[in-house]
Amino acid sequence: MKAIEILNRCRAADAELRRIQQRIDQRRSALYRITASPMDANGGSHASGNHDKIGTLEADIDTLKRQLTARKRAKQVEIAAACALLDYLDAASSDILYRYYVLGETAAVIAAACGYQDGTVRAKKAEALKVLAEMDSARIDATLPGWYLRGDKDGSNGSNFGSVDLPKWQERDAPPV
């Protein structure tokens, strides 16, 4: 594994978590709308044929909840690994990469917070990434737990992964469902 992969996963984590939560919320809303069907003129419900749809939505919600939990656990490990990798850099470079990849700040925000020019932030970031790119993969792998390296991103032997709408790195590592 490369250091930039870990850093990119940190940066992408919040967006991935929001997307999974959005999908859960959409299915909960749909489930409510299906189960709250209006009564017909004879007092019967129009929802009688919706049992398969309800079951499918409930199963989807359950799967997405497991994916959300798995992604949260993976994010924790990725942030810890990123911090360990950033320890190999000087303080300024470490701070810039932490703010960019873990906190998700832009170069302009980092420059303003640290008192640098935008160009200085970009240059320091590029130099730091070059140092990390030269890092031995064994040293990088040492920052991650074995279950993560095996592709079991939440430590539960992959039981929380389906490949539906997962980021590419999770699709590649996810066991068959």
Side-chain angles (χ1 to χ4, degrees):
M1 177 165 287
K2 297 185 184 296
I4 191 66
E5 290 178 77
I6 294 169
L7 295 173
N8 283 332
R9 290 176 188 176
C10 288
R11 185 142 173 108
D14 288 333
E16 292 167 5
L17 290 168
R18 281 191 303 274
R19 176 64 178 132
I20 295 169
Q21 186 61 56
Q22 175 191 40
R23 293 177 67 211
I24 291 170
D25 294 343
Q26 288 170 341
R27 280 155 181 78
R28 283 183 177 152
S29 175
L31 188 61
Y32 172 77
R33 282 162 175 57
I34 289 171
T35 58
S37 295
M39 302 295 263
D40 66 20
N42 297 324
S45 173
H46 292 287
S48 60
N50 291 333
H51 295 295
D52 288 343
K53 293 174 191 169
I54 292 169
T56 299
L57 286 171
E58 288 172 341
D60 287 350
I61 291 168
D62 185 55
T63 299
L64 289 166
K65 282 181 179 179
R66 288 193 316 270
Q67 288 176 3
L68 185 66
T69 299
R71 187 62 188 105
K72 285 178 181 177
R73 288 180 184 159
K75 177 185 173 186
Q76 293 169 348
V77 168
E78 292 156 3
I79 289 172
C83 288
L85 293 172
L86 297 178
D87 285 345
Y88 291 99
L89 302 172
D90 63 85
S93 297
S94 176
D95 188 40
I96 288 169
L97 291 188
Y98 182 82
R99 288 172 171 273
Y100 184 81
Y101 288 102
V102 177
L103 301 181
E105 294 178 356
T106 64
V109 170
I110 297 168
C114 297
Y116 298 128
Q117 296 291 326
D118 286 357
T120 303
V121 169
R122 287 190 296 275
K124 285 186 172 287
K125 179 179 167 239
E127 290 171 20
L129 290 174
K130 191 174 184 180
V131 169
L132 292 177
E134 295 170 359
M135 189 176 282
D136 180 48
S137 64
R139 181 179 283 176
I140 296 167
D141 289 350
T143 67
L144 297 164
W147 57 262
Y148 187 94
L149 292 170
R150 289 188 304 272
D152 178 19
K153 300 289 186 231
D154 71 343
S156 67
N157 296 319
S159 63
N160 288 344
F161 280 87
S163 61
V164 178
D165 201 29
L166 291 176
K168 293 297 178 204
W169 66 272
Q170 285 181 329
E171 286 179 10
R172 179 187 68 232
D173 295 337
V177 179

